[in-house]
mmCIF file of all heavy atoms in Angstrom:
data_model
loop_
_atom_site.group_PDB
_atom_site.id
_atom_site.type_symbol
_atom_site.label_atom_id
_atom_site.label_comp_id
_atom_site.label_asym_id
_atom_site.label_seq_id
_atom_site.Cartn_x
_atom_site.Cartn_y
_atom_site.Cartn_z
ATOM 1 N N TYR B 32 111.406 96.138 93.830
ATOM 2 C CA TYR B 32 110.045 95.756 93.436
ATOM 3 C C TYR B 32 109.097 95.930 94.609
ATOM 4 O O TYR B 32 109.341 95.436 95.713
ATOM 5 C CB TYR B 32 110.060 94.289 92.986
ATOM 6 C CG TYR B 32 108.763 93.751 92.419
ATOM 7 C CD1 TYR B 32 108.564 93.689 91.048
ATOM 8 C CD2 TYR B 32 107.766 93.261 93.248
ATOM 9 C CE1 TYR B 32 107.389 93.175 90.517
ATOM 10 C CE2 TYR B 32 106.593 92.744 92.728
ATOM 11 C CZ TYR B 32 106.408 92.708 91.366
ATOM 12 O OH TYR B 32 105.251 92.199 90.837
ATOM 13 N N MET B 33 108.008 96.656 94.363
ATOM 14 C CA MET B 33 106.942 96.786 95.374
ATOM 15 C C MET B 33 105.601 96.587 94.701
ATOM 16 O O MET B 33 105.457 96.849 93.498
ATOM 17 C CB MET B 33 107.014 98.141 96.068
ATOM 18 C CG MET B 33 108.281 98.338 96.875
ATOM 19 S SD MET B 33 108.296 99.848 97.859
ATOM 20 C CE MET B 33 107.184 99.389 99.212
ATOM 21 N N SER B 34 104.630 96.145 95.480
ATOM 22 C CA SER B 34 103.354 95.771 94.887
ATOM 23 C C SER B 34 102.225 95.928 95.897
ATOM 24 O O SER B 34 102.458 95.842 97.103
ATOM 25 C CB SER B 34 103.431 94.312 94.419
ATOM 26 O OG SER B 34 102.264 93.931 93.741
ATOM 27 N N TRP B 35 101.024 96.176 95.397
ATOM 28 C CA TRP B 35 99.821 96.206 96.211
ATOM 29 C C TRP B 35 98.861 95.116 95.746
ATOM 30 O O TRP B 35 98.671 94.908 94.531
ATOM 31 C CB TRP B 35 99.110 97.555 96.100
ATOM 32 C CG TRP B 35 99.646 98.588 97.021
ATOM 33 C CD1 TRP B 35 100.460 99.623 96.717
ATOM 34 C CD2 TRP B 35 99.382 98.681 98.424
ATOM 35 N NE1 TRP B 35 100.730 100.351 97.840
ATOM 36 C CE2 TRP B 35 100.076 99.811 98.909
ATOM 37 C CE3 TRP B 35 98.616 97.924 99.329
ATOM 38 C CZ2 TRP B 35 100.040 100.199 100.247
ATOM 39 C CZ3 TRP B 35 98.581 98.314 100.653
ATOM 40 C CH2 TRP B 35 99.286 99.440 101.093
ATOM 41 N N TYR B 36 98.239 94.445 96.735
ATOM 42 C CA TYR B 36 97.252 93.404 96.470
ATOM 43 C C TYR B 36 96.016 93.684 97.323
ATOM 44 O O TYR B 36 96.107 94.275 98.398
ATOM 45 C CB TYR B 36 97.786 92.022 96.860
ATOM 46 C CG TYR B 36 99.035 91.601 96.153
ATOM 47 C CD1 TYR B 36 100.284 91.918 96.670
ATOM 48 C CD2 TYR B 36 98.971 90.879 94.969
ATOM 49 C CE1 TYR B 36 101.437 91.524 96.018
ATOM 50 C CE2 TYR B 36 100.127 90.477 94.317
ATOM 51 C CZ TYR B 36 101.353 90.803 94.849
ATOM 52 O OH TYR B 36 102.493 90.422 94.207
ATOM 53 N N ARG B 37 94.903 93.182 96.842
ATOM 54 C CA ARG B 37 93.724 93.104 97.687
ATOM 55 C C ARG B 37 93.313 91.641 97.787
ATOM 56 O O ARG B 37 93.539 90.849 96.862
ATOM 57 C CB ARG B 37 92.572 93.951 97.148
ATOM 58 C CG ARG B 37 92.071 93.605 95.770
ATOM 59 C CD ARG B 37 90.885 94.487 95.367
ATOM 60 N NE ARG B 37 89.668 94.161 96.139
ATOM 61 C CZ ARG B 37 88.537 94.861 96.089
ATOM 62 N NH1 ARG B 37 88.454 95.927 95.295
ATOM 63 N NH2 ARG B 37 87.498 94.504 96.797
ATOM 64 N N GLN B 38 92.771 91.298 98.951
ATOM 65 C CA GLN B 38 92.379 89.907 99.180
ATOM 66 C C GLN B 38 90.924 89.859 99.593
ATOM 67 O O GLN B 38 90.529 90.479 100.588
ATOM 68 C CB GLN B 38 93.258 89.257 100.260
ATOM 69 C CG GLN B 38 93.028 87.759 100.403
ATOM 70 C CD GLN B 38 94.048 87.099 101.302
ATOM 71 O OE1 GLN B 38 94.493 87.672 102.288
ATOM 72 N NE2 GLN B 38 94.438 85.867 100.961
ATOM 73 N N ASP B 39 90.132 89.113 98.852
ATOM 74 C CA ASP B 39 88.705 88.977 99.096
ATOM 75 C C ASP B 39 88.352 87.495 99.169
ATOM 76 O O ASP B 39 88.923 86.676 98.434
ATOM 77 C CB ASP B 39 87.916 89.648 97.970
ATOM 78 C CG ASP B 39 88.276 91.122 97.810
ATOM 79 O OD1 ASP B 39 87.884 91.894 98.686
ATOM 80 O OD2 ASP B 39 88.971 91.472 96.840
ATOM 81 N N PRO B 40 87.417 87.140 100.021
ATOM 82 C CA PRO B 40 87.039 85.725 100.180
ATOM 83 C C PRO B 40 86.656 85.085 98.849
ATOM 84 O O PRO B 40 85.879 85.655 98.085
ATOM 85 C CB PRO B 40 85.846 85.800 101.130
ATOM 86 C CG PRO B 40 86.034 87.076 101.878
ATOM 87 C CD PRO B 40 86.664 88.028 100.909
ATOM 88 N N GLY B 41 87.225 83.927 98.577
ATOM 89 C CA GLY B 41 86.903 83.194 97.355
ATOM 90 C C GLY B 41 87.629 83.679 96.120
ATOM 91 O O GLY B 41 87.624 83.003 95.085
ATOM 92 N N LEU B 42 88.270 84.835 96.212
ATOM 93 C CA LEU B 42 88.961 85.395 95.043
ATOM 94 C C LEU B 42 90.473 85.383 95.212
ATOM 95 O O LEU B 42 91.214 85.591 94.260
ATOM 96 C CB LEU B 42 88.488 86.824 94.783
ATOM 97 C CG LEU B 42 87.025 86.975 94.399
ATOM 98 C CD1 LEU B 42 86.663 88.452 94.259
ATOM 99 C CD2 LEU B 42 86.723 86.227 93.102
ATOM 100 N N GLY B 43 90.928 85.196 96.421
ATOM 101 C CA GLY B 43 92.365 85.173 96.643
ATOM 102 C C GLY B 43 92.980 86.553 96.548
ATOM 103 O O GLY B 43 92.305 87.577 96.596
ATOM 104 N N LEU B 44 94.281 86.572 96.405
ATOM 105 C CA LEU B 44 95.029 87.821 96.270
ATOM 106 C C LEU B 44 95.000 88.275 94.822
ATOM 107 O O LEU B 44 95.296 87.508 93.913
ATOM 108 C CB LEU B 44 96.486 87.601 96.684
ATOM 109 C CG LEU B 44 96.812 87.627 98.164
ATOM 110 C CD1 LEU B 44 98.168 86.987 98.414
ATOM 111 C CD2 LEU B 44 96.812 89.056 98.680
ATOM 112 N N ARG B 45 94.676 89.535 94.621
ATOM 113 C CA ARG B 45 94.702 90.089 93.274
ATOM 114 C C ARG B 45 95.599 91.324 93.263
ATOM 115 O O ARG B 45 95.472 92.193 94.118
ATOM 116 C CB ARG B 45 93.285 90.433 92.803
ATOM 117 C CG ARG B 45 92.401 89.211 92.567
ATOM 118 C CD ARG B 45 91.016 89.612 92.119
ATOM 119 N NE ARG B 45 90.277 90.265 93.191
ATOM 120 C CZ ARG B 45 89.133 90.932 93.014
ATOM 121 N NH1 ARG B 45 88.608 91.028 91.799
ATOM 122 N NH2 ARG B 45 88.518 91.480 94.042
ATOM 123 N N GLN B 46 96.465 91.389 92.270
ATOM 124 C CA GLN B 46 97.432 92.469 92.212
ATOM 125 C C GLN B 46 96.787 93.733 91.668
ATOM 126 O O GLN B 46 96.134 93.713 90.619
ATOM 127 C CB GLN B 46 98.617 92.044 91.350
ATOM 128 C CG GLN B 46 99.819 92.961 91.442
ATOM 129 C CD GLN B 46 101.025 92.395 90.713
ATOM 130 O OE1 GLN B 46 100.906 91.889 89.597
ATOM 131 N NE2 GLN B 46 102.182 92.463 91.344
ATOM 132 N N ILE B 47 97.018 94.848 92.359
ATOM 133 C CA ILE B 47 96.415 96.120 91.960
ATOM 134 C C ILE B 47 97.400 96.906 91.089
ATOM 135 O O ILE B 47 97.095 97.268 89.947
ATOM 136 C CB ILE B 47 96.036 96.944 93.196
ATOM 137 C CG1 ILE B 47 95.072 96.161 94.093
ATOM 138 C CG2 ILE B 47 95.414 98.274 92.786
ATOM 139 C CD1 ILE B 47 94.833 96.812 95.457
ATOM 140 N N TYR B 48 98.548 97.192 91.636
ATOM 141 C CA TYR B 48 99.631 97.876 90.928
ATOM 142 C C TYR B 48 100.946 97.304 91.418
ATOM 143 O O TYR B 48 101.038 96.786 92.524
ATOM 144 C CB TYR B 48 99.624 99.389 91.228
ATOM 145 C CG TYR B 48 98.789 100.229 90.308
ATOM 146 C CD1 TYR B 48 97.480 100.568 90.656
ATOM 147 C CD2 TYR B 48 99.298 100.709 89.097
ATOM 148 C CE1 TYR B 48 96.704 101.351 89.812
ATOM 149 C CE2 TYR B 48 98.524 101.493 88.256
ATOM 150 C CZ TYR B 48 97.225 101.809 88.620
ATOM 151 O OH TYR B 48 96.460 102.585 87.788
ATOM 152 N N TYR B 49 101.976 97.440 90.590
ATOM 153 C CA TYR B 49 103.310 97.101 91.022
ATOM 154 C C TYR B 49 104.305 98.102 90.461
ATOM 155 O O TYR B 49 103.991 98.853 89.521
ATOM 156 C CB TYR B 49 103.695 95.663 90.641
ATOM 157 C CG TYR B 49 103.763 95.367 89.164
ATOM 158 C CD1 TYR B 49 104.977 95.321 88.503
ATOM 159 C CD2 TYR B 49 102.604 95.070 88.447
ATOM 160 C CE1 TYR B 49 105.037 95.013 87.145
ATOM 161 C CE2 TYR B 49 102.647 94.771 87.098
ATOM 162 C CZ TYR B 49 103.869 94.742 86.452
ATOM 163 O OH TYR B 49 103.925 94.441 85.108
ATOM 164 N N SER B 50 105.498 98.098 91.053
ATOM 165 C CA SER B 50 106.526 99.052 90.663
ATOM 166 C C SER B 50 107.870 98.344 90.633
ATOM 167 O O SER B 50 108.261 97.715 91.614
ATOM 168 C CB SER B 50 106.569 100.214 91.662
ATOM 169 O OG SER B 50 107.713 101.013 91.447
ATOM 170 N N MET B 51 108.548 98.450 89.494
ATOM 171 C CA MET B 51 109.855 97.800 89.363
ATOM 172 C C MET B 51 110.977 98.676 89.924
ATOM 173 O O MET B 51 112.065 98.174 90.191
ATOM 174 C CB MET B 51 110.129 97.472 87.890
ATOM 175 C CG MET B 51 109.164 96.482 87.288
ATOM 176 S SD MET B 51 109.268 94.850 88.057
ATOM 177 C CE MET B 51 110.838 94.291 87.419
ATOM 178 N N ASN B 52 110.728 99.979 90.050
ATOM 179 C CA ASN B 52 111.732 100.875 90.614
ATOM 180 C C ASN B 52 111.136 102.273 90.736
ATOM 181 O O ASN B 52 109.973 102.507 90.379
ATOM 182 C CB ASN B 52 112.990 100.908 89.743
ATOM 183 C CG ASN B 52 114.269 101.039 90.550
ATOM 184 O OD1 ASN B 52 114.290 101.730 91.581
ATOM 185 N ND2 ASN B 52 115.322 100.398 90.120
ATOM 186 N N VAL B 53 111.926 103.203 91.218
ATOM 187 C CA VAL B 53 111.460 104.580 91.399
ATOM 188 C C VAL B 53 110.936 105.133 90.070
ATOM 189 O O VAL B 53 111.558 104.946 89.031
ATOM 190 C CB VAL B 53 112.592 105.460 91.947
ATOM 191 C CG1 VAL B 53 112.151 106.912 92.035
ATOM 192 C CG2 VAL B 53 113.064 104.958 93.296
ATOM 193 N N GLU B 54 109.766 105.773 90.158
ATOM 194 C CA GLU B 54 109.106 106.406 89.008
ATOM 195 C C GLU B 54 108.645 105.409 87.936
ATOM 196 O O GLU B 54 108.297 105.824 86.826
ATOM 197 C CB GLU B 54 110.019 107.466 88.358
ATOM 198 C CG GLU B 54 110.473 108.586 89.294
ATOM 199 C CD GLU B 54 109.341 109.514 89.728
ATOM 200 O OE1 GLU B 54 108.176 109.319 89.296
ATOM 201 O OE2 GLU B 54 109.608 110.427 90.527
ATOM 202 N N VAL B 55 108.619 104.129 88.258
ATOM 203 C CA VAL B 55 108.135 103.108 87.317
ATOM 204 C C VAL B 55 107.000 102.339 87.971
ATOM 205 O O VAL B 55 107.213 101.646 88.974
ATOM 206 C CB VAL B 55 109.256 102.122 86.923
ATOM 207 C CG1 VAL B 55 108.699 101.073 85.951
ATOM 208 C CG2 VAL B 55 110.431 102.844 86.316
#
Side-chain angles (χ1 to χ4, degrees):
Chain B
Y32 185 98
M33 296 187 75
S34 185
W35 276 103
Y36 301 89
R37 60 178 290 173
Q38 188 171 36
D39 303 288
L42 296 176
L44 279 163
R45 291 179 291 167
Q46 192 172 44
I47 302 170
Y48 271 95
Y49 64 101
S50 169
M51 296 296 288
N52 216 324
V53 176
E54 302 292 359
V55 180

